[in-house]
Amino acid sequence: MAIGPYVTPLTAGSLSARRSGDLFVGMRRELDALQRQMATGQRADSFAGLGPERRTSLDLRGRLAALDGYQSTISGAQLRLSMMTQGLERLTLASREMRSELSPPRPEPDAAGRSAAQRGAEERLKLAIDVLNGQIGGRHFFGGRASDAPPVETFARIMDGDPARGVAGLRQLLAERKAADLGADHLGRLSLAAPAGGTTVTLSESADDGVRRDFGFRIAAASGPPGIAVTFTPAVAATATLAFAQPPVDGETVRVYVTLPDGTPQTVDLTARTHPDPALAGREFRIDADPAVTIANLEAALPPGAAIAGVQSRPVPPGNTPNLTATFAGGTAASASFAVGTQPAAGDKIAVTLALRDGTTTTITLTAQANGDPPAENGFAIGASPEDTAQNIAAALEGAVRGAARTGLAASSAVVAAQDFFSASTDPARQPRRIVPAGVPPSFAAATGLRAGTAADTIVWYRGDDSALPRATALLRIDSTQAVGTGAQANEPALRNMLAQFGVLAAESFAETPTDRQRFLELAERARTNLAAEPHTMEAMVADFGAALASMGRAKERHQATAAVLEEALAGAEGVRIEEVAAAMLALQTRL
């Protein structure tokens, strides 16, 4: 068979020449690789060229990428937390300045009926709104997870709502609450009886249990001199029976208004859980298959000895009635009777202690005056007979109660209304409460109960997230095993307490009368006390963020040190030593 022309002839020396050519090409390729390594300092231009080191390179690069991600997260969070901390420090200073201006308060109203302290409160409220609406790059600081929009309403809408739509603001809620607490006769929803020709004067609470729970004075104690028989009958609170219309679902919130044994009102927000966190005792309750057990678990989460005064919850179809209701039964009103047996002596005193709706008390003391003495404030004349003296006591007691209602009770009413307004949120269980007018025609002064406001009739000042754990609304991973909470909400207790005090001072107005002067002093003292006794202070919030910043600073330093070690190891896996490459190039060039 003939050999085709495509077969390379095996001439003398052809095999050796071919081998020399292949060797030359290989050496040239190796020289090119060395020149590239000399220029780039890298062993190869792809992972495939690294050989066995490729796995090490990939691992090191992955760890460095993770560290870069942590560092980027930390840098952004440090800026955000620094701005939040500065804002809180400004508000802390504003709160201290407000307390200083109220120590002592100076009731010197201007033409609009507002004192310098009130004007200062308005400016500080506006400052607080600006701080709490702070943001970077469209991400708002104090809205929790709802960070895409300002969490706090404007000053104008907070104070006055939206009049064109019939939506009430803080000023309207203060006025309605004050009318309900004072009553039509300004006796603080108490009644006074002193039958003509009799010797007994009786001061009583309302017979309506709804009024006793929510409005006006409560009679706490009474005393008198030996010649006047004092009968004090303490109130007995009605028994509240709670019931769910539908079984609560995991994560559902309810709000319970309670009165503590010392008379202080408290708002308790609870979350229903199938598996409550023991660390959140007092804020969560366990859902049970038995509705009665679920209710018992809810009641066990309330403060010990607290009397239930009301509840709020989400509405349920078809009638949008509250899912959690409280039915009240029993209960009796308190009363204090003064029966004049023998005539009192000049200087003898009658005292009645009245409890106000903010947990404070005021004591009315009436002093007997001899016939002919000039009339004194809170004094009653000793009459010609016990019957006359009883009528004089009744007249003096009526005037004193009315005066206390227009000053101390009105001030406490404003504080309670402001605190209630600023405890509200967009959660259906935490809507601002409204007074239900009663009587014919309907009047707030005759109100017997409260209802949950709606978005259609009441402004909600806070529109952000409403988590029970604000820090957890922005958990940042700063290491493989470490996360820090950097979230915040404008409705945290310390902040909303401050806003309530600024708001109530800014909203009220006063005339230049002795009664309004005393009302201002009472309101200012309450605002000062509340600002100084915040249950969860802004300093504590600053401390939380300071601890987070410290943790991030330590993590950043740790990451930098780790990155330096990893980069060195990566250079060993991917890089080359220039001296070795140069020596290899010289050797190769010599061979060429």
Side-chain angles (χ1 to χ4, degrees):
M1 175 183 289
I3 298 176
Y6 53 83
V7 178
T8 303
L10 297 174
T11 57
S14 62
L15 183 58
S16 175
R18 181 178 301 174
R19 288 176 177 173
S20 296
D22 291 343
L23 180 60
F24 179 82
V25 171
M27 292 172 66
R28 185 64 198 178
R29 186 181 298 115
E30 186 178 350
L31 180 61
D32 290 342
L34 290 172
Q35 288 174 333
R36 181 188 54 73
Q37 290 177 357
M38 176 67 77
T40 64
Q42 297 295 310
R43 182 173 299 178
D45 56 5
S46 67
F47 290 113
L50 293 176
E53 295 293 337
R54 71 171 66 91
R55 185 182 297 276
T56 301
S57 173
L58 288 169
D59 179 61
L60 293 173
R61 284 182 176 274
R63 294 175 65 184
L64 283 169
L67 290 179
D68 286 343
Y70 294 142
Q71 295 290 65
S72 177
T73 297
I74 290 172
S75 296
Q78 284 177 322
L79 174 60
R80 188 166 65 255
L81 284 181
S82 295
M83 293 190 66
M84 293 167 68
T85 299
Q86 290 176 5
L88 289 173
E89 288 172 345
R90 290 170 65 194
L91 296 184
T92 300
L93 178 60
S95 178
R96 290 173 181 165
E97 291 174 345
M98 190 77 258
R99 296 201 303 268
S100 178
E101 288 186 20
L102 297 174
S103 302
R106 292 177 289 276
E108 299 167 356
D110 58 15
R114 304 173 74 232
S115 67
Q118 291 180 271
R119 295 191 295 272
E122 178 177 319
E123 293 306 314
R124 291 181 178 96
L125 179 57
K126 291 177 180 178
L127 167 66
I129 293 170
D130 288 343
V131 168
L132 297 177
N133 280 335
Q135 54 88 23
I136 292 179
R139 181 177 179 182
H140 292 80
F141 305 144
F142 291 95
R145 283 179 286 260
S147 61
D148 57 341
V152 180
E153 279 283 5
T154 65
F155 173 82
R157 285 174 61 82
I158 287 174
M159 299 303 285
D160 298 311
D162 188 347
R165 295 176 48 235
V167 178
L170 176 61
R171 284 195 174 99
Q172 183 174 336
L173 267 64
L174 293 181
E176 293 174 1
R177 176 82 199 201
K178 190 184 302 180
D181 276 325
L182 267 63
D185 54 7
H186 286 196
L187 287 178
R189 309 305 293 267
L190 301 180
S191 60
L192 186 66
T199 59
T200 301
V201 178
T202 303
L203 187 67
S204 304
E205 294 178 348
S206 172
D208 189 297
D209 177 62
V211 174
R212 297 198 304 274
R213 281 198 313 274
D214 296 323
F215 306 123
F217 287 123
R218 287 170 293 179
I219 304 174
S223 62
I228 299 178
V230 179
T231 303
F232 170 62
T233 304
V236 176
T239 301
T241 302
L242 303 181
F244 280 106
Q246 298 177 358
V249 298
D250 187 73
E252 180 176 337
T253 58
V254 298
R255 170 166 283 185
V256 184
Y257 298 95
V258 301
T259 303
L260 301 181
D262 64 357
T264 303
Q266 184 172 328
T267 301
V268 182
D269 292 319
L270 299 173
T271 303
R273 294 295 185 191
T274 52
H275 301 289
D277 184 346
L280 297 178
R283 287 188 284 178
E284 295 183 345
F285 65 96
R286 182 182 298 277
I287 302 170
D288 194 89
D290 185 342
V293 175
T294 299
I295 291 294
N297 293 339
L298 186 158
E299 292 174 339
L302 299 176
I308 296 173
V311 295
Q312 274 187 275
S313 62
R314 66 178 175 90
V316 295
N320 284 333
T321 55
N323 190 35
L324 177 65
T325 56
T327 303
F328 295 91
T332 56
S335 64
S337 295
F338 303 91
V340 182
T342 60
Q343 293 280 50
D348 282 350
K349 298 182 184 299
I350 288 173
V352 180
T353 300
L354 303 175
L356 285 70
R357 290 296 158 176
D358 61 354
T360 61
T361 60
T362 185
T363 299
I364 293 173
T365 302
L366 306 180
T367 304
Q369 293 183 284
N371 193 14
D373 288 350
E377 184 179 4
N378 288 353
F380 65 93
I382 301 171
S385 65
E387 290 80 6
D388 291 342
T389 300
Q391 292 300 312
N392 295 339
I393 290 174
L397 185 58
E398 180 178 357
V401 171
R402 185 170 285 120
R406 290 170 175 169
T407 55
L409 180 60
S412 75
S413 174
V415 169
V416 169
Q419 290 174 332
D420 196 65
F421 177 83
F422 283 101
S423 71
S425 72
T426 55
D427 187 324
R430 299 172 186 173
Q431 295 293 303
R433 291 191 296 177
R434 298 296 302 272
I435 309 297
V436 181
V440 181
S443 167
F444 292 111
T448 60
L450 297 153
R451 64 172 177 85
T454 67
D457 62 27
T458 314
I459 202 75
V460 176
W461 72 277
Y462 176 69
R463 299 168 297 185
D465 196 8
D466 204 10
S467 171
L469 299 172
R471 304 293 166 268
T473 59
L475 282 175
L476 299 183
R477 180 70 61 182
I478 62 172
D479 205 340
S480 59
T481 59
Q482 186 180 11
V484 294
T486 63
Q489 296 172 182
N491 70 338
E492 293 186 43
L495 294 172
R496 73 188 188 208
N497 177 65
M498 175 196 66
L499 293 171
Q501 310 318 313
F502 290 169
V504 71
L505 286 169
E508 286 282 72
S509 61
F510 301 86
E512 292 192 65
T513 64
T515 296
D516 265 18
R517 178 185 177 87
Q518 184 61 34
R519 178 165 66 92
F520 172 79
L521 294 174
E522 295 264 8
L523 179 63
E525 177 60 23
R526 283 170 168 79
R528 187 192 65 79
T529 300
N530 290 338
L531 285 171
E534 297 167 356
H536 305 282
T537 64
M538 285 180 286
E539 288 90 342
M541 296 179 66
V542 171
D544 287 347
F545 297 141
L549 283 168
S551 296
M552 287 189 283
R554 290 190 295 269
K556 192 171 187 177
E557 293 176 358
R558 188 168 63 249
H559 295 334
Q560 289 170 342
T562 303
V565 173
L566 294 177
E567 286 169 354
E568 184 177 351
L570 184 64
E574 296 183 352
V576 294
R577 298 184 61 181
I578 299 301
E579 297 85 353
E580 293 179 355
V581 173
M585 288 178 64
L586 287 173
L588 191 58
Q589 287 171 346
T590 301
R591 291 175 63 191
L592 287 171

